[in-house]
Amino acid sequence: MTRPLLAAALCAASVTALAAPATAAARTSALPLGPSSLHEQRDTRQLAPGVTLTTIVRGEKSAADVWTLHVRLAVPGNTSAVIAPKATAEDAARRLESAGFHPRVEAVDGPRFADVRAGRVGYVVRVGRYATEADAKKDLPALNAAGFSAGTSYTAQDGTAATGPWRLHVISVDPGRFGGRVVSSVGGTLTATDKVSDLVRTSGAVAGVNGTYFTAGGKGGSAGLHVLNGELTSEANNGRTALILPQSGRGARFAQLSTVLRVRAQDRAGRELDGVNRLPGLVDNCGGVGGDQPTERPQHDVTCTDPDELVAFTPVYGASSPAGDGAEAVLDASGRVTELRPARGTAIPAGGRTVQAIGTAADWLRDHARPGTRLAISEQVLDRGRPVRLDARTSILGAGPQLVRDGRAWVDAYADGLVHTGDDQSFYYNWVLRRNPRTMVGVDRRGRLLMVAADGRAPGFSEGLSIEEAAKVMRSLGAVQAMNFDGGGSTTMATAGGALVNRPSDGTGERSVGDGILLLPGRR
């Protein structure tokens, strides 16, 4: 996004809608993807009383879509950006022409979102048109030898006009007829990831989809707000969208939530608690507190840092907390400090927790968490300043952005951290504007929960959705409220026994994820 467009991003409190309002009835019209004349097929089957699965196949591959070589460009902060200002793109094109290539400089425009105006995002540089990716790769060595870097790109996934194809899978849950529970599940501990198919199979679920963004590599669970059966397992990226999910499925709603966490010592000294169940000093997706760098604003797929943090660990994290420099207090179920350790990393007591600290926070912990004294920890989830009630029959899953609000397509792109700080808009181009696999959840006017998996990154099979398309699709499916969940290679839907419904996009097959939403049979 160019600086003028970035400057035009509005605060989340002052918004305009992306599209016209939906009608009162749930829509059964064709998906708003490609020309209206495209062929569309829908197949629906019942998974359980009140639960249906509909697979929608729309469109077909177009001869106009080709593979191309997408040239990397240098912008401040990134020497391998995929989009740049016009002058940078034109300079690269001149150098490519001098080296004997025939580049194309293509302008990229972004849509109007709730807090971002429509306009020019930047320019991309491409070379060649090829029938297959293998053909495109044959010309990569020549580009590299001339001093350029590039990757392959398929034009049907650009997010611009296309004919598809698209494949979407929609699970509709009527809480009034489904006698089971709708739950969030992490499988085991937060440090272990699981395949959605395994979560469904081992739990005996009717069906399930992947859930929140997560921290990979055994470092922790959700990369954002997560409340599991009333227990806060991860703090919010303050202001990002979350699904508040009662086990009954009734009254599920979406809101931009924040968390306020505090530690108070027995001597009445208090300090902000920066996080829960994550490595101190590293804030995935940003949106933290206490002076995080480079920003306290949410930034999707960016890890902010803070050298002075207090982070609590609960048993759901795993058997022990992560090791490292700093200090750590071990607390029993009453909050009494049973041990103050000179470094981080210890067993997490059943029913209790530990509090780790680094930097100046470690000095505070050493001064105020002496063995035998107590530390009181307070946790609040806030919806625009109002506390959200946490109970054992409710889970909260943070992700984002929001896609539909009050029956209108509504994307809070700036507030949700999709517009990154700095000059590099590669993320906005790749993640927001281009088509990708998407997982989405919504609620229609009848209170039915909609869980949607859109396949993508599969040329000729399913191209995926841009964020703008995701919003319009959820609205067309009848959602009056909806949000985006973890997507890309994480997008997975499975039915009873762990049978995969969609085609996960990772080359290695189904990806292990941090958590999922499961439909469990039986009494509520």
Side-chain angles (χ1 to χ4, degrees), residues 296-444:
E296 291 185 7
R297 187 168 68 83
Q299 296 280 272
H300 188 66
D301 271 5
V302 173
T303 299
C304 285
T305 60
D306 185 344
D308 307 296
E309 283 202 321
L310 284 174
V311 175
F313 289 85
T314 63
V316 71
Y317 178 82
S320 59
S321 59
D325 294 334
E328 184 164 10
V330 181
L331 313 182
D332 65 16
S334 69
R336 184 175 62 88
V337 179
T338 61
E339 185 181 7
L340 179 61
R341 299 178 62 85
R344 296 184 292 117
T346 188
I348 303 172
R353 67 178 76 197
T354 73
V355 178
Q356 288 193 350
I358 59 173
T360 60
D363 297 331
W364 184 93
L365 194 66
R366 294 185 189 102
D367 289 340
H368 301 287
R370 296 183 176 88
T373 64
R374 282 182 167 79
L375 289 182
I377 295 177
S378 63
E379 302 172 338
Q380 277 192 314
V381 177
L382 300 179
D383 178 1
R384 298 183 183 182
R386 298 185 300 272
V388 176
R389 184 172 177 267
L390 305 182
D391 62 62
R393 301 181 67 83
T394 300
S395 293
I396 301 177
L397 298 91
Q402 187 159 358
L403 300 173
V404 180
R405 185 179 193 182
D406 299 328
R408 302 171 68 94
W410 191 94
V411 177
D412 53 341
Y414 183 83
D416 201 78
L418 307 185
V419 180
H420 282 184
T421 60
D423 298 298
D424 181 16
Q425 298 305 317
S426 295
F427 172 81
Y428 196 83
Y429 172 72
N430 278 330
W431 199 92
V432 177
L433 302 184
R434 285 181 58 79
R435 296 185 173 103
N436 292 281
R438 308 279 182 188
T439 300
M440 304 159 286
V441 177
V443 176
D444 70 9

Side-chain angles (χ1 to χ4, degrees), residues 138-377:
K138 291 177 182 177
D139 283 351
L140 272 176
L143 269 177
N144 294 336
F148 297 95
S149 175
T152 57
S153 180
Y154 188 57
T155 58
Q157 294 168 19
D158 282 349
T160 53
T163 62
W166 292 275
R167 288 176 185 264
L168 285 80
H169 313 275
V170 184
I171 291 178
S172 174
V173 184
D174 183 346
R177 297 181 56 219
F178 177 55
R181 294 170 291 143
V182 187
V183 303
S184 175
S185 173
V186 298
T189 62
L190 299 183
T191 50
T193 55
D194 300 273
K195 295 178 179 179
V196 171
S197 60
D198 288 338
L199 291 175
V200 171
R201 177 179 52 81
T202 57
S203 66
V206 172
V209 297
N210 65 289
T212 62
Y213 304 118
F214 63 98
T215 301
K219 296 184 294 183
S222 299
L225 178 61
H226 192 222
V227 174
L228 184 64
N229 300 324
E231 178 187 347
L232 182 71
T233 68
S234 179
E235 81 277 10
N237 305 113
N238 287 320
R240 295 199 79 179
T241 303
L243 164 63
I244 303 173
L245 181 64
Q247 286 187 5
S248 67
R250 290 190 177 94
R253 67 183 183 91
F254 304 85
Q256 285 70 44
L257 302 181
S258 59
T259 45
V260 176
L261 314 175
R262 298 285 299 178
V263 176
R264 187 176 180 84
Q266 189 169 314
D267 61 7
R268 299 187 179 182
R271 188 178 174 105
E272 199 163 49
L273 182 67
D274 295 271
V276 180
N277 294 322
R278 66 164 172 83
L279 290 180
L282 301 177
V283 187
D284 287 323
N285 292 332
C286 303
V289 295
D292 298 350
Q293 295 296 323
T295 179
E296 291 185 7
R297 187 168 68 83
Q299 296 280 272
H300 188 66
D301 271 5
V302 173
T303 299
C304 285
T305 60
D306 185 344
D308 307 296
E309 283 202 321
L310 284 174
V311 175
F313 289 85
T314 63
V316 71
Y317 178 82
S320 59
S321 59
D325 294 334
E328 184 164 10
V330 181
L331 313 182
D332 65 16
S334 69
R336 184 175 62 88
V337 179
T338 61
E339 185 181 7
L340 179 61
R341 299 178 62 85
R344 296 184 292 117
T346 188
I348 303 172
R353 67 178 76 197
T354 73
V355 178
Q356 288 193 350
I358 59 173
T360 60
D363 297 331
W364 184 93
L365 194 66
R366 294 185 189 102
D367 289 340
H368 301 287
R370 296 183 176 88
T373 64
R374 282 182 167 79
L375 289 182
I377 295 177

